[in-house]
Every structure is written in structure tokens, then in C-alpha cells.
Amino acid sequence: MNAVLPDMIATQECCGFTTEPFTDNPRLQVVTIEADVMQRFVEGSEHWPLQALEYKPFLRFAIADFLDELTDNSLAPLLNAIMRSRDTGAFLLKYAAPLTALDGAQATELDIKLSTAVSHLIGVPNHDAMYGKFYARFTVKNTDNSDSYLRQAHRRMELHNDGTYVDERTDFVLMQKLGEANMEGGDSLLLHVDEWQELDKFYHHPLAKQDIFWGAPKSKNVSTKVQHPVFFEEDAQGKPHMLFIDQFAEPQNMAQGRYLYEMGESLEADPNFIRVPLPVGSMLVVQNHCWLHGRDKFVAHPELSRELLRQRGHFYQ
């Protein structure tokens, strides 16, 4: 990986958190919030129950501002520098356990508050029609009969971008693990667009800029279809931004079908993806247009269960 990391994104310990590059790919930054900061976050956010955050959008900005203040206003600049740089564009945020022990429900509420604060430090989450809030919660179990691969435990969820079938811009995706039991496998998978070995083949293809229809199954609660190319824009450096998911593309002719099929096969065969284990409470946040993400399959267990949270939205302008 030949990326040049921004000056402020270096291994450091500052203001209640640490930052270091992920072992398998230094583009991904690992941010760990210290226990003392988490304890103060727990205590200081008690008067903002989760229901209040759901009902009053401005409180989501207040809790984000509070978290940043706990780090001497250094966390927001760092996270934005990571997300705005194509050379990084992703972070794994973890935390040391707060000093006060929390029960299961309290820990889950803390995790949702923390992810809400983090997302609002970098942008504004879109309404998630699947769950009806600014975030979505869903559970993966041992058996599933849903209409997409999202909850299917025993197969690999292929590499993709989010936001392919909605009108809202989806600059970032936040994926958080709220809980799990009897789990083995299921690591998050990431591939940076610039490290995809066959990028040039598909980016310079005659269909790369041709509009394609994208729809969604009923469970997503989005009935409209949209049209856009896979390579829908370039960034400030003239490098491609992607919007692709194999499940929801609706090719209208053989040429489109072949192009999309070959692209999916190429992405799944690429060796440059990384596996990212997520501890409970941690979150993976990616720049949606220059990182593709997926999930490895789980080892079967009759009592397998994992609860996940998703937020996705647009950067501040």
C-alpha cells in the first residue's frame, strides 16, 4: 500500500484516546477511547435518554459536541481528517470499559449513544427506512428467511457499497456490534477501491458511466427505483467513487448483466481485502464511495445471535 497518510493521522496518544494503524492495512485507523473519558461520557449523557435522541434531532448534535469536549475538541478534527482523506477513509472505534459496570440494557444504550455522537461528528445520518429511525438495528440468527443477504449467517455477504437504491447521498457507513452469543466467524470485510487489482478494467469499461437501475427488496421499505452508473463521480483528485451492490442492481440488457456479473466476480476474487474483527460495542466507519465492505460467513450454531446497528449518511459540507 503506497498511500501517504495525512500528517495528523499518525500513531498517537492524545486527549483521552489513542490512534494507531490497523495491522493488516494502515489505511484503516484504530481509535480507542480511554476508560476515564467513557466514564465521563456515561455520566454526562444520562440526562439524554435514547428516546430523547430519537425524538429530538438537535440532541444528537449536542451529544456529539459533548463527546468532542471530553477529548479537548481533538476527536472531531481527527475523525474528519481520517474520513476526508482517500488514503485512509476508514476507522475502527473501540473503547475501554467505563469505570462503572453497566448491565446489558445500559451497555446497549451507551453503545447507541456513542455511535450517534461519532456519526454526528462527521456528518448527518440519513433516515433508515428499514428501521424507521436515523439508525437501524437488526439481528443475525442461525436461520433466516428474509429477502436479502443482510441477516443470512451462513454465507459470505459480498463486497458492496451502501446507498445504491436511495436518492440521499451516502458518504459514510457506520456499522456497530451491539451484542452477540455463540458466535464464530462473521468478521467484517473491507476492500479499498484503489487496491482492487482490476479497477482499471471496469473503470475504463464502456459501461462504467452508463446509468443502471437499482431497486430494493420489500424489507428495505423503499419502493422507488433509482438510476446511476457504478462509477458515478470522481473525487477532487480525479479518482473514482463507486456505488455497487450485486443484490440490488437491475440490468436491462445482456451487456449490463455481463458487466455487473464480471465485476462482482472480480471483487470477490481480489486478494487485497482485509478481515476486521469487531468487539462488542465497537464500530467500523468507512467512506462509502472508496471502500467496499462485506461480511464473512458464520460457523453454524443453533443459538447463534448477533445484533448490529447501522448508520449511514452524508458529510458536512
Side-chain angles (χ1 to χ4, degrees):
M1 203 271 298
N2 297 319
V4 178
L5 304 186
D7 289 341
M8 73 173 299
I9 306 174
T11 301
Q12 60 177 289
E13 182 173 352
C14 172
C15 310
F17 63 90
T18 60
T19 309
E20 60 182 353
F22 185 68
T23 304
D24 292 343
N25 189 320
R27 291 184 187 274
L28 175 63
Q29 300 296 298
V30 181
V31 180
T32 305
I33 300 177
E34 295 174 357
D36 179 61
V37 171
M38 288 305 302
Q39 181 64 34
R40 288 185 285 153
F41 183 75
V42 169
E43 295 170 354
S45 63
E46 285 180 346
H47 63 292
W48 295 320
L50 180 55
Q51 186 181 72
L53 295 175
E54 293 174 350
Y55 287 1
K56 302 178 182 180
F58 61 81
L59 290 183
R60 304 167 202 165
F61 296 89
I63 200 170
D65 191 44
F66 174 61
L67 176 62
D68 198 35
E69 288 177 353
L70 294 177
T71 66
D72 294 337
N73 298 303
S74 61
L75 184 60
L78 176 78
L79 299 185
N80 279 279
I82 292 171
M83 295 301 292
R84 297 299 185 118
S85 170
R86 188 182 182 93
D87 290 332
T88 50
F91 61 87
L92 168 61
L93 189 139
K94 305 185 293 183
Y95 62 84
L99 305 178
T100 300
L102 303 175
D103 65 25
Q106 291 172 326
T108 297
E109 180 155 328
L110 170 65
D111 289 338
I112 299 174
K113 286 181 178 181
L114 182 62
S115 64
T116 299
V118 169
S119 66
H120 285 77
L121 289 178
I122 61 173
V124 183
N126 300 328
H127 176 76
D128 198 308
M130 189 182 82
Y131 195 67
K133 302 180 186 294
F134 68 94
Y135 64 91
R137 291 174 66 176
F138 53 94
T139 302
V140 177
K141 297 211 178 265
N142 194 55
T143 58
D144 174 78
N145 60 358
S146 64
D147 56 6
S148 78
Y149 293 149
L150 183 64
R151 296 180 176 88
Q152 294 188 14
H154 306 307
R155 69 180 313 283
R156 171 171 163 144
M157 181 186 288
E158 291 92 340
L159 294 163
H160 63 279
N161 311 101
D162 273 23
T164 57
Y165 58 85
V166 296
D167 289 329
E168 300 96 338
R169 187 172 179 88
T170 309
D171 291 319
F172 70 87
V173 181
L174 181 155
M175 297 159 283
Q176 184 181 35
K177 184 186 291 185
L178 296 180
E180 67 180 10
N182 304 303
M183 297 298 306
E184 183 180 350
D187 289 344
S188 295
L189 308 175
L190 291 180
L191 175 66
H192 195 283
V193 171
D194 294 348
E195 296 179 354
W196 176 20
Q197 292 184 346
E198 292 192 311
L199 170 62
D200 286 348
K201 171 183 174 181
F202 292 97
Y203 179 46
H204 297 295
H205 191 281
L207 296 184
K209 294 297 184 72
Q210 185 177 108
D211 275 349
I212 290 172
F213 281 98
W214 307 84
K218 290 183 179 180
S219 65
K220 306 300 183 184
N221 296 323
V222 176
S223 59
T224 57
K225 299 182 188 298
V226 298
Q227 295 184 67
H228 60 75
V230 172
F231 297 100
F232 72 104
E233 70 177 14
E234 282 72 39
D235 67 10
Q237 305 172 61
K239 295 183 178 181
H241 276 170
M242 283 186 70
L243 273 176
F244 169 79
I245 185 169
D246 54 357
Q247 296 177 64
F248 307 143
E250 299 182 359
Q252 301 298 301
N253 53 57
M254 185 62 72
Q256 288 184 352
R258 184 180 297 111
Y259 175 66
L260 293 164
Y261 168 74
E262 291 178 355
M263 180 179 295
E265 292 292 292
S266 173
L267 288 167
E268 291 308 297
D270 197 285
N272 291 331
F273 73 91
I274 56 174
R275 300 178 187 274
V276 185
L278 289 183
V280 172
S282 65
M283 65 195 78
L284 186 61
V285 187
V286 301
Q287 208 284 29
N288 182 52
H289 301 311
C290 61
W291 282 96
L292 298 113
H293 64 277
R295 186 191 65 226
D296 208 353
K297 61 184 179 180
F298 302 90
V299 176
H301 188 288
E303 301 300 324
L304 177 156
S305 178
R306 174 182 285 179
E307 185 176 12
L308 301 167
L309 177 145
R310 175 183 68 207
Q311 295 186 48
R312 49 194 181 187
H314 56 276
F315 291 144
Y316 294 126
Q317 300 301 313

